Amino acid sequence: LEGKRILVTGAAGFIGSNLTDALLYQGAEVTGFDNLWNGRMENLESAQQNKKFIFHQGDVRDYDRLLHLMKDIDIVFHEAAFISVPKSILMPQLCNDVNITGTLNILNAARINDVEKIVFASSAAVYGDDPTLPKQEKMRLNPISPYAVTKQAAEAYMVSYNQAYNLNTTSLRYFNVYGPRQQGSPYSGAIAIFIANIFNRKNITIFGDGNQTRDFTYIKDIIKINLLAAESKESAGKIINVGTGKPISIIEIIKFMIEYSQKEGIEIEYDPIRAGDILHSYGDITLAKDILGFEADYDVFRGFKEYLDFY
Ligand code: UD1
């Protein structure tokens, strides 16, 4: 990707900032775009030391801005999003505007500016609560939160812009991502919340009985597949699962985290299941291997240990 001119939306966020650093390391020229709602400038501290990086504060709902920003762009990584399932239940319209209209804006601006490749951050939430496991890309989708609906629609736009305009678009269906820079706010991913509580010696709340499962995917594997997708022609118009392919229950990961971090006195409390939450989720990752040669390097235990070193 050396010398490529790349736009990263959501560049100040958890995934976007880690991706920005990796792209700069590869010698790419990176334009970062973020409205700084969830994103934080401190995530871009090292990027900002690099002359090949430029940051613009703005919103993906602003089409004119995107049209202008994409003038000399070769590749777009679209990571900007309304990211929270429970928050989407409180604010479905805003979630729709950011995730669906925002993505359509990206596609239209990319089409007009002849962008070579668009890699989109989609989500395993689109599978919803269909009991079939592991989740396969071809399954019938059953989104049960507004958030999941927006990701499904955005994916469908990615596919249709490949079909209708021959744009090289790829949607990566991330299973639960965790790692350095994920914020421990009440609306961020579970592992970030658990780790913050463990370090602040606060009790952990489980929504439901703790037997719900997730396929926790370490940020480095997410970066790896994004870089592979960026240079691939075979992934054009495709939707691809990205996970480890292995589930773990919430209670099991919490117990491991508490034990491994050797902090004492942390209690587990139970609250009712959250609206919109799915029960079980892990992915079949054969397609990622077949199309992109991808395999996850980190199971959740290895990933958590590395995450802790950064903490
Ligand atoms: C997460 C991501 C979403 C992504 C999806 C892909 C965030 C905020 N959400 O959604 O963007 O598209 O994965 O699979 O990054 N839980 C507790 N206690 C807590 C927090 C969570 O028990 O304090 C439980 C939840 O009820 C849920 C599980 O942990 O069952 C995972 O929750 P969360 O990390 O919020 O992830 P998802 O809703 O799966």
Side-chain angles (χ1 to χ4, degrees):
L1 295 171
E2 193 173 352
K4 288 281 182 194
R5 294 158 305 177
I6 297 179
L7 173 68
V8 179
T9 70
F14 161 47
I15 297 175
S17 67
N18 279 292
L19 186 57
T20 296
D21 287 346
L23 293 167
L24 289 168
Y25 184 76
Q26 295 231 336
E29 287 174 32
V30 181
T31 300
F33 189 62
D34 201 302
N35 65 3
L36 299 179
W37 286 1
N38 292 311
R40 294 174 296 171
M41 285 315 287
E42 64 190 77
N43 290 341
L44 292 171
E45 254 163 36
S46 74
Q48 283 188 304
Q49 312 292 317
N50 194 317
K51 286 200 181 73
K52 291 185 167 167
F53 179 72
I54 181 161
F55 179 77
H56 295 273
Q57 185 173 349
D59 199 294
V60 292
R61 291 172 299 168
D62 185 347
Y63 174 65
D64 293 337
R65 196 75 194 284
L66 291 173
L67 198 60
H68 186 71
L69 267 183
M70 268 187 233
K71 267 204 166 60
D72 295 309
I73 292 292
D74 303 312
I75 302 171
V76 176
F77 292 94
H78 180 32
E79 310 299 311
F82 186 112
I83 60 166
S84 162
V85 173
K87 220 172 179 171
S88 79
I89 297 196
L90 302 172
M91 292 177 246
Q93 183 67 52
L94 180 60
C95 185
N96 184 95
D97 294 346
V98 174
N99 288 0
I100 301 182
T101 309
T103 299
L104 189 57
N105 286 342
I106 294 282
L107 284 166
N108 283 327
R111 177 170 67 87
I112 288 172
N113 285 298
D114 289 323
V115 168
E116 277 168 27
K117 176 92 200 187
I118 301 152
V119 185
F120 169 58
S122 188
S123 164
V126 297
Y127 292 114
D129 247 352
D130 189 306
T132 316
L133 289 164
K135 309 290 191 187
Q136 280 183 329
E137 291 89 348
K138 286 197 176 122
M139 280 173 57
R140 198 175 66 85
L141 304 179
N142 184 28
I144 58 167
S145 65
Y147 169 81
V149 171
T150 66
K151 286 291 180 180
Q152 181 184 5
E155 278 183 351
Y157 269 129
M158 287 287 154
V159 173
S160 72
Y161 271 59
N162 171 256
Q163 301 282 320
Y165 305 106
N166 206 21
L167 269 187
N168 184 341
T169 60
T170 302
S171 297
L172 299 175
R173 264 185 200 157
Y174 303 158
F175 286 73
N176 296 51
V177 189
Y178 68 98
R181 296 185 186 155
Q182 192 173 31
Q183 243 172 314
S185 89
Y187 289 111
S188 71
I191 288 194
I193 295 177
F194 302 153
I195 205 170
N197 285 19
I198 290 170
F199 271 82
N200 299 318
R201 306 211 180 223
K202 288 209 275 196
N203 291 346
I204 289 178
T205 303
I206 292 184
F207 304 117
D209 63 8
N211 290 317
Q212 68 266 49
T213 54
R214 290 292 185 277
D215 180 352
F216 287 107
T217 310
Y218 193 53
I219 183 71
K220 281 201 181 156
D221 283 322
I222 295 293
I223 302 309
K224 180 166 111 171
I225 198 160
N226 270 280
L227 300 181
L228 289 168
E231 296 194 285
S232 132
K233 292 212 164 55
E234 299 88 278
S235 65
K238 297 279 194 308
I239 299 174
I240 302 170
N241 282 344
V242 191
T244 68
K246 293 186 204 87
I248 185 168
S249 73
I250 293 296
I251 185 73
E252 211 180 326
I253 187 66
I254 292 173
K255 285 190 174 152
F256 170 75
M257 288 172 76
I258 294 177
E259 197 183 302
Y260 188 80
S261 20
Q262 296 182 317
K263 307 274 183 203
E264 273 156 29
I266 294 145
E267 307 274 330
I268 297 175
E269 292 162 4
Y270 290 86
D271 266 4
I273 229 167
R274 288 189 318 202
D277 262 10
I278 58 178
L279 261 184
H280 298 297
S281 173
Y282 76 98
D284 178 331
I285 48 167
T286 318
L287 199 62
K289 181 147 198 239
D290 289 352
I291 296 185
L292 297 170
F294 168 85
E295 260 175 312
D297 294 324
Y298 289 81
D299 67 19
V300 69
F301 304 109
R302 179 174 180 217
F304 178 69
K305 288 176 189 170
E306 189 173 305
Y307 184 13
L308 210 60
D309 290 340
F310 281 93
Y311 213 74

